[in-house]
């Protein structure tokens, strides 16, 4: 029985353990530490398996209706994701597949049973989100020994727990989110003094600037691109972004529609393009420092976390802001997992650090739906309490009738970050009477009050009659014990795609993605390669599979280096 540490990330997940030489990361079936947090369904030999990681990420492009990522954002909600006609999963269950896959990797690597884990969560996760994470562990057959706050884990990876007393800032720029935490270390406690962040700012936004740059430079409109072109552009831009963290200039070739575009982007130009994004990074840092009633020079250490903090200009900006070199000699996307491994080590010696939880923020945006403009079909979310607002909080908004002689206003209450109501979670509704009049004359004042226990009270008051209607919405998103047991049984019947086939599955998924993106001759060529490869892996007698795999992979590399259209 081994205790592992897990970083269950929005974009990537990792698993670690404590060894005699300190914390160690565990490679997945592809020999890589980062497993993309993407889950999909794949048909194989007449059964449906669950595919996790890189192969699933490839299939996000070729099989979008069977694949899903980014579900950490919905942890603690009841959001159901449909994967094809046969599967429906809650966020806990999708996370459980990731955990199951990491657990298999750990068992394989350590050669022993792995039944317990320490899992990291954002410091601002509330009780519902924390419980959902523990449930995800249970659904994966893992006892969650404890949760650890992500910033605390990052600090542990740098041994900051060994310093007697200090205040430090954790700067975590991931794929889609940016989190800033200020921690205070004293005695045997790491206290989260303040958290701030931007849930819609991450590496993806920097990547997007490159996309836009390529499009405008070639007088192309985003709307003129089909899904394939778009995905190809995404990937190319990501590659350029990563290259520019190492090099001064990146060259590219890409086929869009019927055109082959060639060009290059310098690091200087990229930094120029992304300067508004870097300015946005300052806002949460300043807020966290203010919230903790500190000044930048009170911060003794700054730790860079998250893959996107590899960008040199981002590092420089942070250094300048705090007048000190940030700690950055460890890989930023591996830190949290390493820290969870340190915590596992501390636990094994029975001296785990006390980790103070901070959950006094409303973790979701709460709002209602309303019609904007003249089109009655244009229902959008009007946020009333924004995600990450410090609780308790009370905010109000006025709404008016949209039809003549309308006598009732119906308020649907939603939780979530998406623009369209149907993409969010409906918590319930409230109806109030208003006197009949011309459209836009009668209105209501809608007040949302969110308390520390996660209960939302909605009060609607008619502006003319002053009559108030109240309703309390409690987030009951967590599974009951019976439900958990039932879901556990159901999940036990669904198997992960066999680990020993991961390499082949990933190559095939990649081949199929390249096929989908190619045209004409290129397409035929990839198809031939895929079919040959499939024949080879189905041929039990074949002893050269390793060689064939390498050859196939090389061919795909060559194709990916832009020989998309061979005519
Ligand atoms: P998360 O915490 O969201 O799971 P990670 O910490 O793994 O995510 O960060 C993923 C992000 O980091 C992606 O946007 C990725 O493109 C970006 N990233 C990874 N390596 C680099 C690099 N060398 N340069 C710039 N961005 C990078
Ligand atoms: Mg992360």
């Amino acid at each position: 029985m081994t205790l592992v540490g897990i970083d269950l990330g929005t974009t990537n997940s990792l698993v670690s353990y404590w060894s005699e030489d300190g914390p160690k990361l565990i490679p997945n079936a592809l020999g890589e530490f980062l497993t993309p947090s993407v889950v999909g369904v794949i048909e194989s030999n007449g059964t449906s398996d669950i595919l996790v990681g890189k192969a699933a990420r490839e299939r996000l492009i070729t099989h979008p209706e069977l694949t899903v990522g980014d579900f950490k954002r919905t942890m603690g909600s009841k959001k159901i994701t449909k994967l094809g006609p046969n599967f429906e999963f809650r966020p806990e269950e999708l996370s459980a597949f990731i955990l199951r896959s990491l657990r298999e990797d750990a068992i394989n690597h350590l050669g022993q049973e792995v039944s317990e884990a320490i899992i990291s969560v954002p410091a601002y996760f509330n009780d519902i989100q924390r419980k959902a994470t523990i449930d995800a562990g249970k659904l994966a057959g893992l006892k969650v020994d404890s949760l650890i706050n992500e910033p605390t884990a990052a600090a542990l990876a740098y041994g900051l727990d060994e310093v007697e007393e200090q205040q430090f800032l954790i700067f975590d720029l991931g794929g889609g989110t940016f989190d800033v935490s200020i921690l205070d270390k004293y005695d045997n406690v790491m206290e989260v003094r303040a958290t701030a962040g931007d849930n819609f700012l991450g590496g993806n936004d920097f990547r997007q600037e490159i996309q836009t740059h390529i499009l405008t430079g070639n007088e192309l409109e985003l709307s003129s691109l089909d899904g394939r072109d778009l995905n190809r552009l995404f990937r190319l831009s990501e590659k350029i972004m990563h290259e520019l963290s190492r090099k001064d200039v990146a060259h590219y070739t890409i086929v869009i529609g019927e055109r082959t575009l060639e060009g290059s982007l310098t690091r200087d130009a990229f930094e120029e393009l992304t300067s508004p994004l870097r300015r946005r990074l300052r806002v949460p840092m300043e807020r966290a420092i203010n919230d903790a009633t500190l000044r930048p020079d009170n911060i003794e250490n700054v730790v860079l976390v998250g893959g996107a903090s590899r960008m040199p200009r981002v590092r420089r900006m942070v250094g300048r802001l705090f007048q000190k070199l940030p700690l950055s000699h460890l890989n930023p996307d591996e830190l949290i997992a390493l820290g969870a491994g340190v915590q596992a080590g501390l636990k094994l010696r029975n001296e785990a650090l006390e980790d103070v939880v901070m959950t006094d923020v409303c973790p979701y945006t709460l709002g209602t739906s309303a019609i904007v403009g003249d089109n009655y079909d244009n229902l959008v979310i009007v946020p009333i309490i924004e995600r990450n607002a410090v609780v308790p909080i009370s905010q109000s908004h006025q709404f008016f009738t949209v039809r003549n002689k309308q006598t009732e206003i119906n308020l649907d209450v939603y939780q979530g970050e998406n623009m369209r109501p149907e993409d969010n979670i409906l918590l319930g509704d409230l109806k109030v009477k208003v006197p009949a009049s011309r459209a836009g004359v009668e209105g209501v004042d809608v007040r949302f009050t969110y308390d520390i226990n996660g209960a939302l009270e909605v009060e609607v008051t008619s502006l003319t009659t002053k009559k108030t209607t109240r309703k309390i919405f409690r987030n009951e998103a967590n599974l009951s014990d019976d439900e958990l047991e039932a879901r556990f049984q159901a999940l036990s019947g669904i198997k992960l795609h066999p680990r020993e086939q991961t390499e082949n599955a990933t190559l095939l998924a990649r081949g199929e993605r390249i096929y989908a993106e190619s045209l004409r001759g290129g397409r035929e060529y990839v198809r031939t390669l895929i079919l040959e490869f499939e024949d080879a892996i189905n041929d039990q007698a074949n002893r050269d599979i390793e060689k064939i795999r390498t050859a196939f992979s090389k061919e795909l590399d060559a194709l990916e280096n832009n020989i998309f259209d061979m005519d």
Side-chain angles (χ1 to χ4, degrees), residues 9-12 34 174-175 203-204 238 241-242 245 306-308 310-311 333:
T10 313
T11 322
N12 294 301
L34 268 67
N204 298 344
E238 179 122 324
M241 176 168 84
H242 292 194
S245 291
R310 282 210 178 86
M311 286 181 281
D333 38 19

Side-chain angles (χ1 to χ4, degrees), residues 165-197:
E165 275 184 21
Q166 70 165 324
Q167 319 211 57
F168 48 92
L169 181 136
I170 310 285
F171 174 104
D172 183 353
L173 190 59
T177 56
F178 173 47
D179 295 322
V180 179
S181 321
I182 294 180
L183 303 197
D184 197 351
K185 163 74 180 43
Y186 54 87
D187 303 328
N188 220 15
V189 179
M190 283 231 206
E191 182 174 300
V192 182
R193 285 281 304 273
T195 69

Side-chain angles (χ1 to χ4, degrees), residues 60-355:
L60 213 41
I61 296 171
T62 52
H63 300 78
E65 68 295 338
L66 291 175
T67 323
V68 59
D70 230 20
F71 39 84
K72 182 172 175 179
R73 286 182 191 275
T74 58
M75 273 302 246
S77 80
K78 285 187 264 191
K79 177 164 180 161
I80 299 290
T81 302
K82 253 179 103 67
L83 294 183
N86 301 327
F87 294 100
E88 288 191 348
F89 297 117
R90 294 174 55 112
E92 294 93 320
E93 297 175 287
L94 294 169
S95 303
F97 289 129
I98 303 279
L99 294 173
R100 246 164 86 172
S101 173
L102 296 175
R103 179 176 172 221
E104 276 193 7
D105 293 333
I107 293 174
N108 188 277
H109 185 77
L110 301 169
Q112 48 186 298
E113 185 49 40
V114 170
S115 53
E116 279 193 63
I118 292 173
I119 303 179
S120 61
V121 290
Y124 56 77
F125 255 26
N126 70 0
D127 288 344
I128 296 153
Q129 293 167 303
R130 284 168 196 265
K131 172 126 195 310
T133 306
I134 294 173
D135 287 349
K138 286 186 191 155
L139 292 171
L142 279 171
K143 178 173 176 294
V144 179
D145 171 276
S146 56
L147 300 176
I148 180 170
N149 287 313
E150 287 169 4
T152 308
L156 287 182
Y158 271 112
L160 296 184
D161 58 316
E162 282 161 27
V163 185
E164 280 287 293
E165 275 184 21
Q166 70 165 324
Q167 319 211 57
F168 48 92
L169 181 136
I170 310 285
F171 174 104
D172 183 353
L173 190 59
T177 56
F178 173 47
D179 295 322
V180 179
S181 321
I182 294 180
L183 303 197
D184 197 351
K185 163 74 180 43
Y186 54 87
D187 303 328
N188 220 15
V189 179
M190 283 231 206
E191 182 174 300
V192 182
R193 285 281 304 273
T195 69
D198 189 329
N199 287 298
F200 295 94
L201 181 58
N204 298 344
D205 299 280
F206 286 76
R207 182 199 67 198
Q208 207 164 340
E209 290 300 326
I210 301 180
Q211 280 155 225
T212 312
H213 170 79
I214 296 178
L215 288 177
T216 42
N218 290 288
E219 289 170 1
L220 282 166
E221 296 277 342
L222 189 71
S223 54
S224 71
L225 265 59
D226 66 12
R228 277 184 286 131
D229 284 345
L230 207 58
N231 285 316
R232 185 156 52 214
L233 185 62
F234 279 3
R235 237 196 4 276
L236 175 77
S237 307
E238 179 122 324
K239 194 165 148 240
I240 294 175
M241 176 168 84
H242 292 194
E243 253 175 58
L244 289 178
S245 291
R246 289 182 280 117
K247 302 199 306 204
D248 291 335
V249 58
H251 300 279
Y252 62 84
T253 315
I254 182 173
V255 179
I256 301 273
E258 299 290 306
R259 291 170 60 193
T260 301
L261 316 178
E262 274 180 73
S264 60
L265 183 66
T266 63
R267 187 192 278 176
D268 285 347
F270 171 62
E271 291 179 346
E272 181 76 32
L273 289 172
T274 50
S275 104
L277 293 174
R278 278 193 306 280
R279 264 200 300 282
R280 279 174 62 193
L281 291 173
R282 283 170 179 271
V283 181
M285 284 194 277
E286 279 156 12
R287 202 185 120 193
I289 291 168
N290 277 330
D291 287 357
T293 54
L294 294 171
R295 284 180 326 234
D297 56 336
N298 297 134
I299 302 286
E300 283 151 277
N301 270 304
V302 178
V303 180
L304 295 181
V305 186
S309 76
R310 282 210 178 86
M311 286 181 281
R313 187 66 180 261
V314 166
R315 299 186 159 205
R316 263 209 327 273
M317 179 194 94
V318 178
R320 236 187 262 135
L321 201 64
F322 293 95
Q323 293 294 309
K324 58 176 60 77
L325 224 51
L327 294 176
S328 63
H329 57 268
L330 296 174
N331 282 332
D333 38 19
E334 298 174 352
L335 272 188
I336 291 173
L338 283 174
V342 174
Q343 179 80 335
L346 289 170
K347 277 271 156 80
L348 296 173
R349 298 202 305 269
N350 257 330
E351 51 179 88
L353 198 77
E354 231 179 284
D355 185 13

